[in-house]
Amino acid sequence: MTETVLGGTPALAPLLARGALRSPFKRPAAAASYPRTRLVLPAVRADLGRLAAYERVCGFGTGEDGLPVTYPHVLGFPLAIRLMSERDFPLPLLGLVHTHLDISRYAVMPADTAYELSVRVAGLRPHRRGTEAVVVTEVRDGQDLVWESRSRYLARHRTTGTAGTARPEERAPLPAVAEWRIAADVGRRYAAASGDRNPIHLHPLTARLFGFPRAVAHGMWTAARCLAAHGVPERAHVEAEFRAPVLLPATVAYAARAGRFELRGPADRVHVTGGVRPLPG
């Protein structure tokens, strides 16, 4: 694997445009080749203004010493999009769906510290509905690994046979803790704070171009909102599975018990399910 050190955070808008233009020419398959490049930002800092906006829209307490557990994903997202918009990435960026997230945080991450951040594609895997790419993000404070994540992104296409990811395990519904009314503009507010301006999240008109009747909440917003409500220890492993989109505006139930949480819509339709467990040490 080669390593490319970047001089700054890539601009998302041209990357998204490039990925959209290349999408019709992609031929997704689990056996396809993929970029073997590790992108590195050697000294990235959180913009404190955007961080405060992110904390407000996701429900985290503002002014905390450490970054919210999901915020390094925001810092690494432009690098992931750069990799996924490259010519040698086999999945089309348009229509790519974030299906699963795993995060391990090993230490509190002060908001005013410069970190080394790296992103790479770890591989492709078959899914019952297509092909998933696994994207790994790592954050280091000096030589110490303080945060890492694995995200799975699904490109839907026809498959042969039944190989691939099994259907999600069905669990008994967790007890509802709160009812949340999610405003129609939460996609735009999260986009302003995170930089993720995918058109399906911004307005009903642009969402309809991609087959959605209304704008859709960012999956990472739903996970962050649940984790802000649940609470996360300093050293923790977090997972979230994105099961169904949240159409905006919406009224949803936040449910939790012990280390598990979920977000449910009408008729107990599960949008997000996940868990939090402390790490030893």
Side-chain angles (χ1 to χ4, degrees):
M1 179 169 287
T2 61
E3 183 173 292
T4 300
V5 179
L6 305 179
T9 301
L12 269 173
L15 293 177
L16 291 170
R18 182 176 73 179
L21 290 172
R22 290 176 172 169
S23 288
F25 305 100
K26 299 300 180 80
R27 297 294 179 266
S33 61
Y34 57 88
R36 306 301 176 107
T37 302
R38 180 175 177 260
L39 298 181
V40 179
L41 275 176
V44 62
R45 291 180 185 270
D47 179 290
L48 297 183
R50 290 181 65 177
L51 172 60
Y54 178 90
E55 291 169 333
R56 287 192 295 269
V57 73
C58 296
F60 292 104
T62 57
E64 301 288 341
D65 290 338
L67 296 174
V69 67
T70 47
Y71 197 73
H73 176 91
V74 172
L75 299 177
F77 187 66
L79 278 67
I81 293 298
R82 172 164 165 169
L83 286 172
M84 293 190 289
S85 65
E86 294 287 353
R87 194 182 304 275
D88 58 349
F89 183 73
L91 310 186
L93 188 61
L94 277 183
L96 213 57
V97 178
H98 196 179
T99 57
H100 197 273
L101 172 72
D102 276 285
I103 293 174
S104 293
R105 182 174 67 184
Y106 303 109
V108 170
M109 300 173 62
D112 58 354
T113 298
Y115 298 98
E116 180 193 272
L117 189 147
S118 67
V119 178
R120 59 186 170 87
V121 178
L124 304 177
R125 48 183 278 166
H127 186 279
R128 68 184 187 279
R129 293 180 177 173
T131 299
E132 285 183 324
V134 181
V135 178
V136 174
T137 302
E138 296 178 333
V139 182
R140 285 178 167 79
D141 184 358
Q143 297 297 313
D144 297 329
L145 179 66
V146 292
W147 188 98
E148 62 182 333
S149 74
R150 298 175 71 88
S151 282
R152 301 204 300 257
Y153 296 93
L154 170 67
R156 296 181 179 180
H157 59 86
R158 290 185 178 180
T159 61
T160 57
T162 57
T165 305
R167 292 183 179 276
E169 178 186 354
E170 295 299 330
R171 301 171 180 261
L174 298 175
V177 175
E179 182 179 271
W180 295 341
R181 295 184 180 180
I182 306 174
D185 69 344
V186 75
R188 294 189 290 277
R189 291 191 289 123
Y190 183 84
S194 69
D196 183 356
R197 290 182 168 83
N198 186 320
I200 67 172
H201 304 303
L202 303 182
H203 194 277
L205 292 178
T206 53
R208 287 182 196 128
L209 296 175
F210 296 90
F212 295 98
R214 305 196 302 276
V216 177
H218 295 72
M220 282 302 301
W221 177 84
T222 61
R225 183 68 185 88
C226 288
L227 291 167
H230 189 280
V232 180
E234 291 183 2
R235 292 175 51 85
H237 177 264
V238 168
E239 64 173 326
E241 183 178 335
F242 305 106
R243 303 274 292 270
V246 177
L247 300 177
L248 301 173
T251 299
V252 296
Y254 167 69
R257 180 169 53 207
R260 302 292 306 173
F261 65 82
E262 62 188 19
L263 201 64
R264 298 197 302 263
D268 277 342
R269 186 187 192 195
V270 177
H271 296 291
V272 182
T273 182
V276 178
R277 61 178 174 82
L279 292 176

